[in-house]
Amino acid sequence: MRHEPVPLTRQLGVYEDRGHTVLELRGEIDILSAAEIGPFLDRVTDRPGVRLVIDLRPVEFFDCSGLRLLYRARVRVLERGGQLHLVCTHPLTLRVFRVTGLARLLPPHPSLDEALARSEAASGSL
């Protein structure tokens, strides 16, 4: 059951869905917004075994600051035995992921349901 995200900053909302923490990023993810989002993302990714989904569907602009946020989150989650899934549908952002190689490390899903299903399948195979 999807709940309306609780806004933490103008660019970040959070909610729980099927045992996962879902971070919904919105608007422009640039150096300024990354500075606001980073500390919260570090707190979330510091939990052992966290099951995290980052939803970028409401993002209109995404630069290298956002790439750094995602890569750092991935490293921190994997170091702590958790799972991180990404939801993204914006063609330009998807292109940036492919060109930089992030799409190979953190494959984007087209919907939240698909990301959660992939997480459940990964949990079941452990």
Side-chain angles (χ1 to χ4, degrees):
M1 170 185 239
R2 186 181 193 289
H3 300 284
E4 191 61 31
V6 174
L8 299 172
T9 72
R10 198 168 37 118
Q11 287 85 18
L12 176 66
V14 64
Y15 61 97
E16 296 292 322
D17 191 336
R18 295 174 256 177
H20 296 74
T21 300
V22 180
L23 298 182
E24 184 179 272
L25 277 58
R26 306 181 203 104
E28 296 185 3
I29 306 304
D30 56 17
I31 194 164
L32 290 175
S33 59
E36 290 180 14
I37 295 166
F40 180 79
L41 193 55
D42 282 351
R43 282 194 305 275
V44 170
T45 58
D46 198 34
R47 300 188 311 226
V50 67
R51 296 169 67 189
L52 179 63
V53 176
I54 298 177
D55 188 350
L56 300 177
R57 289 174 297 175
V59 170
E60 299 160 4
F61 175 81
F62 194 87
D63 73 6
C64 61
S65 301
L67 290 173
R68 280 192 299 273
L69 279 176
L70 294 179
Y71 184 78
R72 178 175 169 79
R74 178 186 177 274
V75 168
R76 290 172 58 85
V77 166
L78 293 178
E79 286 176 347
R80 290 157 181 82
Q83 295 179 14
L84 174 60
H85 294 276
L86 182 66
V87 179
C88 181
T89 57
H90 194 284
L92 293 177
T93 304
L94 290 170
R95 182 174 182 214
V96 168
F97 292 161
R98 282 190 302 272
V99 168
T100 61
L102 187 63
R104 286 190 312 275
L105 298 174
L106 191 57
H109 301 284
S111 71
L112 181 61
D113 284 337
E114 196 168 307
L116 293 173
R118 174 70 122 208
S119 180
E120 292 300 323
S123 293
S125 66
L126 294 178

